[in-house]
Amino acid sequence: ANFIEPLVSGVFAGDYARLSAKSAFPRVVALEREHGSLLGGLRALERKRRRAGRAHAARLTTLAGGMAALPSALARELGDRVRTGVAVAAVEKRGAAFTLATSAGPLDAERVMLALPPDAAAALAAPLDAAIADAYTAIPQVSVAAVSLGWARGDVGHALDGFGFLVPRRERLRLLGCVFSSSAFPSLEQAPAGHVLVRCLMGGAQDPHALELTDEELIAAAREALRPTLAVSAAPAFSHVARWPRGIAQYEVGHAARVAAIEERGARIGLFSTGAALRGVGVNDVVREAAAAAERACGAA
């Protein structure tokens, strides 16, 4: 539990006792089945990397300018083929096609792809297929806050080597984990010269009321958790709080059946689905699944 719990909290901000291992960590399950144990699977992966001439696993990465750079670049590449800033209020099935009620007026489409959080997808799907809406509604979502704190390098006693740390709940810290942003992404100049930046994650399934705190209270809680951990007591030179209400879908037991219902029933009427609610909350997973969903939609033409 001391290994699995913080891992689950770091990825899903979830309750490890409720999540489906098959849906949340399919690669881990596959490694265990293939090699008889998780440890054996990890050793086999390491041997494979070394044979391929790669001494280390893939590193934590991000994009220059922040993750918003990805959708911005896609919008520029697609040009007038994509409409940004347009909200869809309803989707109606008319014969073999659809009509979408949008903030920019009605839009006709042969097929529709839902790439939305579970609650928003359920609202649009409900008039088309109640079972799809029910399956989406059954996917819980948890809220998280990211508290970024910056100090002069000399005010932090810890070396900040590595990418950060995850926190088991038994430590009784109001913290899911912490990323050493200026160390993890040194080429992106996350902090001015002579300063460091860390990002603390709070909330999730184990602390559902965290987002009810004010920014000042969240910052104070993060500082209290980091005081002994990073040997820092000085007031931060920089602080920022980002809130993500209902921001991470939870792949609880039975998730695979819910995803199957969403996709199988949707394909019958030309309604397809992708996004972080289905097969991975990370960017890599979402990009991969979006490509697969696009192929399914085009194949249904």
Side-chain angles (χ1 to χ4, degrees), residues 268-289:
R268 299 173 189 173
I269 60 174
L271 182 69
F272 298 87
S273 297
T274 189
L278 303 182
R279 289 194 180 87
V281 297
V283 173
N284 291 349
D285 294 321
V286 171
V287 170
R288 182 187 65 250
E289 288 304 318

Side-chain angles (χ1 to χ4, degrees), residues 22 26 66 109 116 138 186 197 247 271:
K22 181 175 69 172
L116 296 165
L197 178 72
L271 182 69

Side-chain angles (χ1 to χ4, degrees), residues 57-124:
R59 296 182 303 172
L60 189 68
T61 57
T62 188
L63 300 175
M67 296 308 299
L70 178 58
S72 296
L74 290 172
R76 288 194 302 271
E77 180 69 20
L78 291 169
D80 59 8
R81 289 177 291 172
V82 62
R83 305 182 189 184
T84 60
V86 176
V88 177
V91 180
E92 182 180 351
K93 180 77 170 175
R94 293 190 174 181
F98 297 89
T99 296
L100 285 68
T102 82
S103 57
L107 176 66
D108 294 328
E110 295 179 5
R111 294 174 297 282
V112 171
M113 178 77 71
L114 296 178
L116 296 165
D119 47 1
L124 291 181

Side-chain angles (χ1 to χ4, degrees), residues 1-253:
N2 288 336
F3 173 75
I4 297 297
E5 181 200 356
L7 176 64
V8 170
S9 294
V11 177
F12 285 91
D15 180 352
Y16 81 100
R18 298 180 63 88
L19 292 187
S20 163
K22 181 175 69 172
S23 294
F25 299 101
R27 295 180 185 87
V28 172
V29 173
L31 279 176
E32 184 178 21
R33 288 177 177 171
E34 183 178 353
H35 300 280
S37 71
L38 177 56
L39 183 58
L42 293 175
R43 287 173 174 167
L45 277 183
E46 183 61 22
R47 289 194 296 269
K48 183 177 179 180
R49 291 190 190 103
R50 291 186 181 278
R51 286 196 298 268
R54 292 182 289 122
H56 302 288
R59 296 182 303 172
L60 189 68
T61 57
T62 188
L63 300 175
M67 296 308 299
L70 178 58
S72 296
L74 290 172
R76 288 194 302 271
E77 180 69 20
L78 291 169
D80 59 8
R81 289 177 291 172
V82 62
R83 305 182 189 184
T84 60
V86 176
V88 177
V91 180
E92 182 180 351
K93 180 77 170 175
R94 293 190 174 181
F98 297 89
T99 296
L100 285 68
T102 82
S103 57
L107 176 66
D108 294 328
E110 295 179 5
R111 294 174 297 282
V112 171
M113 178 77 71
L114 296 178
L116 296 165
D119 47 1
L124 291 181
L128 303 171
D129 189 301
I132 295 176
D134 289 344
Y136 265 121
T137 300
I139 301 174
Q141 300 165 264
V142 298
S143 303
V144 294
V147 180
S148 298
L149 301 172
W151 285 276
R153 172 67 266 196
D155 288 336
V156 181
H158 193 280
L160 299 182
D161 45 352
F163 87 96
F165 61 88
L166 300 172
V167 181
R169 297 311 298 173
R170 72 187 186 116
E171 297 295 332
R172 300 186 181 279
L173 296 178
R174 197 163 205 173
L175 202 63
L176 297 171
C178 178
V179 178
F180 303 156
S181 299
S182 51
S183 298
F185 314 114
S187 64
L188 298 184
E189 299 181 352
Q190 295 276 298
H195 289 72
V196 294
L197 178 72
V198 302
R199 182 168 291 113
C200 302
L201 298 179
M202 309 171 75
Q206 303 285 5
D207 192 5
H209 302 295
L211 267 67
E212 297 173 8
L213 301 178
T214 65
D215 285 2
E216 292 74 18
E217 289 171 331
L218 285 170
I219 291 169
R223 288 186 60 191
E224 183 63 26
L226 295 180
R227 190 186 310 275
T229 310
L230 301 185
V232 56
S233 58
F238 168 84
S239 62
H240 179 266
V241 176
R243 298 167 181 269
W244 302 98
R246 299 175 63 77
I248 303 181
Q250 301 294 289
Y251 299 175
E252 295 188 351
V253 173

